[in-house]
Amino acid sequence: VKQIVAQSIMALHLLLFLAIFSWTLADVSAQFEANVYKYTGCIDDCSNSECPSGHRVYDNYWVQFGATDSYGQSYSMCGWAWQERCRCHGCSAGYFDSLTDCAACPIGSYTSSVASTSCSTCPSGQRTNAASAATGCVVCPAGKYALLDQCNDCTAGTYSSAESSTCSACSTGKYSQGGAASCTACTAGRYALDTRTPCADCSAGKYAEAEAALCTPCANGKYSGAAASSCDDCAAGTYAAGAASECTSCSAGTYSNTASTLCTPCSAGRYSSAAAATCSECPAGTYSLGATEACSNCPAGAYSTSSAAACFPCGSGTWSEPGSGSCTACAQGKYRLAQPDGCSDCPGGTYTSDVGRSSCSLCGVGRYAGTAATTCTDCTAGKYSTGAAETCSDCPGGKYSSSEAASSCSTCGRGEYSTGGASSCAACDDGKWSVGDSSSCYELADNFENCPVHPVSDHLVDNECNYLYQNDWKTVAEEGASPFGNTCGSLAMCQHESSATEDDYYIACAECADGLIPLGVNSGSESVRGACSSQGHYPVACVSPTSLATCPQEEDGLTARDHDCKYFYNGDWVEKDGGEQTPFTTCASYSVCDATYGSNGGMKNEFHIFCAACPDNYKSFMEDSGSDQPGTCGNLAAISSCYSANEFATCPSYATGGCTYLGPGTFGGSRSPEMTAPSSGVCKEYEIISKSTDITGLISYDVACTECKDGLEAGDYFTHSTGRTLLGSCYDAPDAGSDQSSYKSCTADDAHGKTVKCNYLSSSGEDGAEQWSGVGYGENAPQNLYAGCTSFTLCSYATTETNTTMNFMCSACKPDHVSTYNTEAGVEGACSSSGTFPTKCVYTGVTTESPTAAPTPARTPSPTIAPTPTPTPPVNHVENTLIWMSNFVSAHFELFLGLLALVIILLGMGAYKCYHNDKYRDRYDSDGERGDSMWSFDARDVDRVMERQASQRTGATGGGASYRNGMSQELPLMNSGSRSVNSNHHRELQEEWVERMDPNGVKYFENTRTRRATWTDRREGGDGGLGVPEGPGSMSIRSAGSGSGSSRRGSAGVNQSRRGSAMNVSLSGVREDVASSTASSSNRFEWNDNPMRDEEG
C-alpha cells in the first residue's frame, strides 16, 4: 500500500511537471517555426550571435553532437564527448529578425516566410490579416476601403468597388447608405437632392422624371397625386389653377370643359348640378332664372312648358298640382269655384259623379257618403240615416234594423237583447232573461232559500217562486222563505216563465242537506217541469235519518193531511201513526224506500221505512222485505233487527223457539230462552246465521261464535250449509316467551284443525351460518339441538284459519355440551337478545358449570295465566372473550401472527418444562392401601421404574415375576415391602374421585385433581375400590431383550398379585407415550383397540 501511494504521488508530480513544461514550451515556441534549427558547431556557449540570419536560439537548448539539422547538414562529433552544438530556430511567418529577437511585423506590414529579416507593406486596397505578426494581405470587398489592417465601410452618399483604397461620391438623383458598392438612382415620381438619404416621393401637385434632383409643379388645368411621374388634365365639370393635387368640381348652376381653369354659369331656363360638363333645359312645369342648381316647380294652379323662365295660372274649373306642365279638370268627388288652393273634396253627405264640377249633390235618407264621394251608399243592416249623412248611425241597444238603407230601428222583445248596431235581437243565454228593449240580459235567480227580488228596478216586473214540496208546487212571493227551510242542500231551478209584469220560477230540491235523507221523491206528471223532467228524482221533503225513530207529524199551515209510517221490523211491516215511536229499540238511522203524498182534501201521506244502520257494537240481521211492497221497497234484503255482539251469550227471551249454537263437540248445542250458550266462557261475539218461525209462531235462531275472547285463538273452522266458514273452537294459545322442554318436538295440546309448522333457529356446517329449520307437527327439532338442548323458548306465535306457525330458540344446552349463541341477525319476537340463545349444542364429555337459563321475555298474559316476570339475561363471558379475540385477530392479523409465533415458542419451552416436571410430580397416584401404583408409561418411565426396582432387589422377599432388560438383568415388578402405606392419605385421594357419564350413557370415574379417568369406582366405600376395572381395553408390557429370563404380560387396569404386590395400569395418556417408546426402548407395548379408547384417551 505504501508503495502504491508513493508511486501515485510520484506519477502526479510527473504529470504536473509535464503540463507546466508543455505550456512554457508552447508559449516560447509561438514565435518560432517548429523544427527549423541549425547546428552551429562545437561550441561551449549557445547565444543568438551563433545563429544564422533570421534565426534565434531556442531557449538555450543544447543539442547533442552528430545530429542532422533541418537544412540537411550533418556534423561530425565535436572534439569532446561533452561538447554540444547550439540549436537555432528560424523566426516564424509574421515575425522578423530584429537582431535582438524575433519581433512581430508592425501594423500594416507582413511576412509570409520563415526566418525573415524584414516585413512587407500590403498593396493598395488590401489590409494585413492581423493587427501584428501578419502573415499576408486580405482584399477589401466592394463598399469598403483598405486602411492599415482594417477594411472600413464607405460612408452614406459614397460607394466603392472591390480592392479600393478610397470611396467615390454619388451624383444628384442618386443616393447610397453606408457600405454601398454602388449608388441607387431615383425612379420617376421620386427625387434625391441629398445623396446621403434615400429618394423621396414627389408631393401631390408635382411630378418628377427618373434620376431627378427636384419635382416640377403641374400646369393650370392639370393635377397630380403623390409620387407622380406626370400631370393629368382636369375632367369636364372640374377645374384647376396650377400645382393642384386634385381638380375642383364646378358648383351647381355652372359647368366646364376638359382642362379648364374656371367654370361658366348656366343661362335662364337652364340648370346644372355640381361638376356638370353642360347645362340642362328646365322640364315642363318648372322654370329657372339662370345659374341655378335645379329648376323650380310651378305652384299649384299654374303651369309651364320646357326651358321656361316663368309659369302661367290655370283657368276657372281646372286645377294643377305643383310642377304641372298643364291644368287638369277637378276629378269626381271634388269641386272648384275660384279658391286658390285647388279642387276641394265634396264634404260628407254630398257627392259629385262628373269631373270639373263647381258644387256637390246631397245624399238621400237611408244613405250616406264620405268625403270626396262620387256616389252615395245604402246604410247596412243594424244602421240607419235621415239623409245628407256622412256615416250611418248604429241602432242603439235594445233595437235593431234588419234591412239596408233603413231610416229607423225596431225594438227587441222580452227574453231578447241587442247591443249597438245590431241587425237582429239575440236570445238571452240559459240562466238569463230580459224584459224587452234591453241592451243586456240579467242573471236569473239561483239562490232560492228565499224568493229573490227582481233585479231590474226601472221596469214594473216582480218575481214569483213555486217550490215542489211534498209533491205539490207551493207558491211563494218575493222575499218569502222556501218551504224546505234549511233541509235542502241544493235547490234547482226547473223552469222560468215571464210576462209583462212577472217572472215565474219553478224550483225543486236537487239533494237534501248533509246528514238528511229524502222523505219521498217527486211522482206524477205535475211534478215535472222544464229541466226537472224526471220522476222519482227530486226529494219532496228532507228529514234526519234518526228523526224517523218517530213517525213524522202533520205540518201546520202547509197541508191538512195526516202521516202514516210502516216500518220493516222483525221480518214484517209494522204500521205507526204520525208521532208514534218506531218498533226498533236499537236502530241507529233509517231510510225511506217509498213515500206517497195525497192531494189536498184530507188524504194521508204514507211512508215505508227501513232501518238503515245498527248502532256501533251492534250487529244486524237481514231478512227479505217481501214482494208486494210499493216503490223500491219489495224484494230487498233489509235489516230486520239489531242485536249486540254478545247478546246471544244467553239465548234471548224473544227467541221463543230457542237457540241452536253451531260448532263441533261441546262448543255447539241447543239452548232454551234465558239459558247460557255452551261457548259463553270463551266466545266474545256471536252472530245470527239464520232464523225460522214454525207454524205455531215460535221463533228460533241458529247462532255462531264469530270472535274469541281476548287472549284466545280461533280454530276448528268448518263450513256451514249456507256456505260460510265458521269457527268451531276457542283455545288458549301458547305464550310467546314461554320456556318448556316439551318444545323439543313440534307439538301442541291440539292442532285445532290447522296445519302446524315449527321453525327452530340453528347453526350448522363449517361456517356456522344461522338458519331457521322448519319441521311439521309431531317432528323433532334439528339434530344439533334436539340431543343437547335442555329446553326451548317460544319466540313468536302466529295463526290463521288454516295454519299455525311457531318459532323456537334453544334456551340452554346440557352441562356437558358447548354452546354457539345467536347473533344480531338471529333475533325473533320475544327472543330479542343476541348472544343469549344457543344455535348449536356440541357434546364435550366434560361437565361444566351449568349456564344460566336463557331469559324469558315479557309477553302479553292470557286471560287465565299470570304473567311470567322477565329475568335479567346472563352475561356470557366466554363468548364475549371469544368475540373480542376474533375481532382482535381480524384487525391485527400481522401482529397476531408474530405474537402467535412468540407464544408457540414460549409454549413449547413451557410445555417441555411442565412435561419434565410432571414426570416427577404425577408419576404416581396412590390407588390403594397396599401402596399399588397407577402408572402412565412411556420409554423413559419404564427405564426409570426398572432402574429403581433394580436398586431395591437386595430387599426383595421372593423370586416373583420380573422384567428382563437388554443386559439380561432380571428386575422385580414390585416389592410390597419396599415402602409403607399411609391409609389416611389413601382415603384423601379416594375422595377426589367423582362419577361421570359419557354421551352414550356409560358410567366412568374421574380424578378431580389429576383429571385421570377409569371405569373402576375408586371412591371411598365404592364396591370396586381396589377391584378389577370393567373397561374393555387392555395393555401388554413385554420384554424384548435377548438375555435369559422370563417375560411378563399383564392387562391394563387389572390387579396382578405376585409375592404380595400388585400393579394397576392406567389407560390415561398411554397411546402416544407407548407409540413413541418403541423407538428408544427394548420394551414393546401392545394396545388392544376398543370403541371407547378415543373418549378415554
Side-chain angles (χ1 to χ4, degrees), residues 779-957:
E779 296 179 354
N780 294 332
Q783 186 61 34
N784 58 356
L785 290 176
Y786 179 79
C789 186
T790 59
S791 63
F792 289 82
T793 298
L794 176 61
C795 302
S796 60
Y797 178 91
T799 184
T800 63
E801 290 185 6
T802 58
N803 298 291
T804 296
T805 302
M806 293 181 286
N807 296 317
F808 296 98
M809 289 189 189
C810 180
S811 303
C813 293
K814 292 180 179 180
D816 52 0
H817 285 65
V818 174
S819 305
T820 300
Y821 293 92
N822 63 321
T823 64
E824 289 288 347
V827 293
E828 167 71 18
C831 305
S832 59
S833 300
S834 62
T836 304
F837 298 93
T839 58
K840 180 192 290 186
C841 297
V842 179
Y843 172 73
T844 62
V846 179
T847 303
T848 58
E849 182 180 352
S850 299
T852 305
T856 303
R859 63 178 182 83
T860 303
S862 66
T864 58
I865 300 176
T868 301
T870 303
T872 303
V875 177
N876 194 323
H877 298 286
V878 174
E879 181 183 9
N880 292 341
T881 302
L882 292 176
I883 292 174
W884 177 87
M885 292 176 64
S886 175
N887 293 336
F888 177 82
V889 170
S890 299
H892 307 85
F893 186 68
E894 294 81 359
L895 178 61
F896 170 74
L897 290 179
L899 292 176
L900 180 61
L902 179 60
V903 168
I904 290 174
I905 294 172
L906 294 176
L907 288 178
M909 296 172 61
Y912 174 78
K913 183 176 181 180
C914 292
Y915 172 81
H916 186 269
N917 293 340
D918 286 348
K919 291 304 177 180
Y920 293 95
R921 184 187 64 193
D922 295 332
R923 182 166 291 118
Y924 300 103
D925 285 337
S926 181
D927 192 51
E929 294 180 356
R930 293 173 295 173
D932 298 335
S933 297
M934 173 177 278
W935 295 344
S936 297
F937 282 101
D938 64 10
R940 290 172 295 179
D941 288 334
V942 175
D943 291 342
R944 293 190 187 101
V945 171
M946 294 174 69
E947 290 171 2
R948 185 172 63 252
Q949 290 186 351
S951 67
Q952 296 172 353
R953 287 190 64 194
T954 57
T957 58

Side-chain angles (χ1 to χ4, degrees), residues 639-657:
I639 296 176
S640 176
S641 62
C642 297
Y643 58 96
S644 64
N646 64 347
E647 188 167 330
F648 280 85
T650 299
C651 184
S653 58
Y654 57 80
T656 55

Side-chain angles (χ1 to χ4, degrees), residues 198-215:
C199 298
D201 291 340
C202 290
S203 61
K206 295 182 180 182
Y207 72 98
E209 297 177 353
E211 299 185 12
L214 294 172
C215 297

Side-chain angles (χ1 to χ4, degrees), residues 612-672:
C614 293
D616 292 342
N617 299 322
Y618 276 75
K619 296 186 177 183
S620 61
F621 180 65
M622 314 290 286
E623 291 189 82
D624 189 274
S625 62
S627 59
D628 55 348
Q629 301 304 318
T632 60
C633 301
N635 297 320
L636 294 177
I639 296 176
S640 176
S641 62
C642 297
Y643 58 96
S644 64
N646 64 347
E647 188 167 330
F648 280 85
T650 299
C651 184
S653 58
Y654 57 80
T656 55
C659 303
T660 299
Y661 293 88
L662 305 176
T666 58
F667 196 73
S670 299
R671 294 292 186 270
S672 300

Side-chain angles (χ1 to χ4, degrees), residues 86-107:
C86 182
R87 187 176 69 171
C88 297
H89 276 204
C91 293
S92 302
Y95 294 83
F96 72 98
D97 184 3
S98 64
L99 300 182
T100 60
D101 196 1
C102 286
C105 290
I107 187 169

Side-chain angles (χ1 to χ4, degrees), residues 89 105 164 176 178 249 272 390 395 402 490 524 529 866 889 899 970 985 1040 1064 1073:
H89 276 204
C105 290
S164 297
S176 72
S249 297
S272 71
E390 183 176 1
C395 291
S402 59
S490 175
R529 270 183 176 271
V889 170
L899 292 176
E970 186 177 34
H985 176 65
N1064 289 322
D1073 293 341

Side-chain angles (χ1 to χ4, degrees), residues 142-153:
K144 296 181 182 290
Y145 67 96
L147 181 62
L148 299 178
D149 63 336
Q150 301 290 326
C151 289
N152 298 318
D153 288 340

